[in-house]
Amino acid sequence: MSTAAVGFAARRVLRGLLTMWFAVTVTFFLLRLLPGDPALAIADPGMTEELRANLIASYGLDRPILVQYWEYLVHLVQGDLGVSFRQNQPVTTVLLERLPWTLLLALSAVVVTVAVGIPLGVLAATRARSWVDRVVQVGGVTAQSMFVPSIGVLLLYVFGVTLGWLPIGGAIDEDVTGLAAVGSVVAHLVLPCLSLVLIQLGSYVLTLRTTLIETLGEDYVSLARAKGVTARKVVWKHALRNALLPTTTLMGLQFSLLVGGAVLTETIYAYPGVGRAIFEAVGRLDFPVLQGAFLVLAFTVIIANLLTDIAYGLLDPRVRTS
Amino acid sequence: MSVETATALPPSESTAAQTWRAFRRNPLGVAGGLVLVALALVAIAAPLLADYPSGSSDDVLVGPSAGHPLGTDDLGRDVFGQVVWGTRMSIAVGFAASVLAIIAGTAIGVAAAYFKRLDTALGVLVDLSLSLPVLPLMILIAALVGPSATTLIIVIAAFSWPEVARVVRSQAMTVMPQQFIAAANVIGGSNTWIIRKHVLPGVAPVVVVSVVMTTSRAVLSEAGLSFLGLGDPDNWSWGTILHNAQQSGSLTTAWWTTLFPSVAILLLVVSTTLLSVAYNDARNPKTR
């Protein structure tokens, strides 16, 4: 790796760390400065004044805010997100059990979106203004406009309830091992994953279509055509490579939307990820879990963005220099 | 002579009139606009269209029928009434949140473009805000403050302005280098006067599109929060109807409890998208 590439990666890592610090700080001050008092939420109304004071002291809520902020940062660096109000378990333990499921769901949704989106985008761009193109465009706009739980419920009702092809809740059957376990995980993953794919696919295909049409008009593409390169090779080898850059950047920006979608999808399908933990914590007013879940999801998004950025910077020299 | 030349030329049309004429020729845009007007009318006329669904009755989970055109839910409440009153709540919260977000976003976007010293700081703030997963953060705050219509409006607005600020800033950046801004500076115009007279009219078109798109995104956010149980407990909204279907388990047995609120959300979002695409096309001389 050249020094330029190392410098580029270092700058991106620094920016990722800055974003993490921002997320942490915003959360801390919002929670402390907002009207709601987290101590009141755990304190029983019938509690004596002394008990209440003890409780507040045990959470460190009686000290100056900057001291609290510092301690909060120190704890966070050690991976300590506090204790769940209701489950009497460290928040980190609760969430780390859930995180792999959310990662599995989100990653599989990204992979399927790209795998289906690229051929669809190429099809629409190379047949611009044909009926295929119009169908893709109208479908894209409609899919983009759907409310995530609506798609989730629709798929659940059709494929889970009416046809009975796929399970409608959970992530794995009990008492399965080996290959049967893998099959069970995949079967439970299909519907939630498909719900997330449908909401992302529209903007992915529409962006790829627009940039690919632009790229196909570039001089170097005409040159390749003039040299006698086959039409298929011009599209897939020459134009697509350049059109994928803005499309991938968009994917990166959409990670935060994807995570929001995952929270709603996991709720519909009782999928045991971080999103479902959020839904359960809302019902129990378990603020440490809500706060920890936001930070875990924010860090996931930041790291995903960072990896996309660096991978693309290494592949495409234009990104490094800009 | 000169009088004749003047009358020979067609009277020059204002840009607004040209935009309107081009917009009217776009059937999808007009359809989108009509659907939005219809939804707004339903929201305003809700008390005339249906009784507020409350209490319970014995007609539990009845499918669409003469008495209940959209069926009833698990407590025997009329789904048609829920969707009608939900339209009122969803649009009111979405629109109020959008107006707040537009005011804040426009102020910050214009400030960033106009005062060069603020640009970097505001740009970093907007970038950072846009790179965080907004829904989990809204959930955290709404849960802490306690669910109500006001909470929803403020929380949604608080996380919708960065998008507006980014769009307004980039539009304001194209206005700034214009000579009339420099001229206004030279004749000693104050900053507020220049911004009011020259910069704001320049960004007005993108603000108009933003109102529509931000409202639609705010309605989706409201639906998301309500679906998770953070809606205003005293009012029906589209998200609340879905939340009840999820909580009672009727979403697996009674399709009408989820289909109709979903269709309402879809109608609103699709029509706002069509409307703003048509407006953008009509405004742009190249696509007019």
Side-chain angles (χ1 to χ4, degrees), chain B residues 80-102:
Chain B
F80 176 73
Q82 295 175 13
V83 173
V84 165
W85 283 86
T87 307
R88 192 185 178 95
M89 181 67 184
S90 296
I91 290 182
V93 169
F95 188 70
S98 155
V99 166
L100 285 183
I102 295 276

Side-chain angles (χ1 to χ4, degrees), chain B residues 60-149:
Chain B
V60 172
L61 292 177
V62 178
S65 55
H68 301 284
L70 307 184
T72 63
D73 72 359
D74 59 299
L75 293 178
R77 293 168 296 192
D78 183 37
V79 175
F80 176 73
Q82 295 175 13
V83 173
V84 165
W85 283 86
T87 307
R88 192 185 178 95
M89 181 67 184
S90 296
I91 290 182
V93 169
F95 188 70
S98 155
V99 166
L100 285 183
I102 295 276
I103 292 172
T106 307
I108 290 167
V110 167
Y114 193 84
F115 303 103
K116 293 278 171 285
R117 269 172 301 150
L118 291 176
D119 194 24
T120 321
L122 290 175
V124 170
L125 182 65
V126 168
D127 276 353
L128 288 177
S129 313
L130 285 174
S131 55
L132 296 179
V134 175
L135 185 66
L137 192 52
M138 292 202 271
I139 293 168
L140 174 61
I141 295 168
L144 193 70
V145 182
S148 77

Side-chain angles (χ1 to χ4, degrees), chain A residues 252-275:
Chain A
L253 288 175
Q254 289 221 317
F255 271 130
S256 52
L257 283 181
L258 177 68
V259 160
V263 173
L264 299 168
T265 313
E266 286 177 8
T267 302
I268 290 269
Y269 289 99
Y271 202 78
V274 177

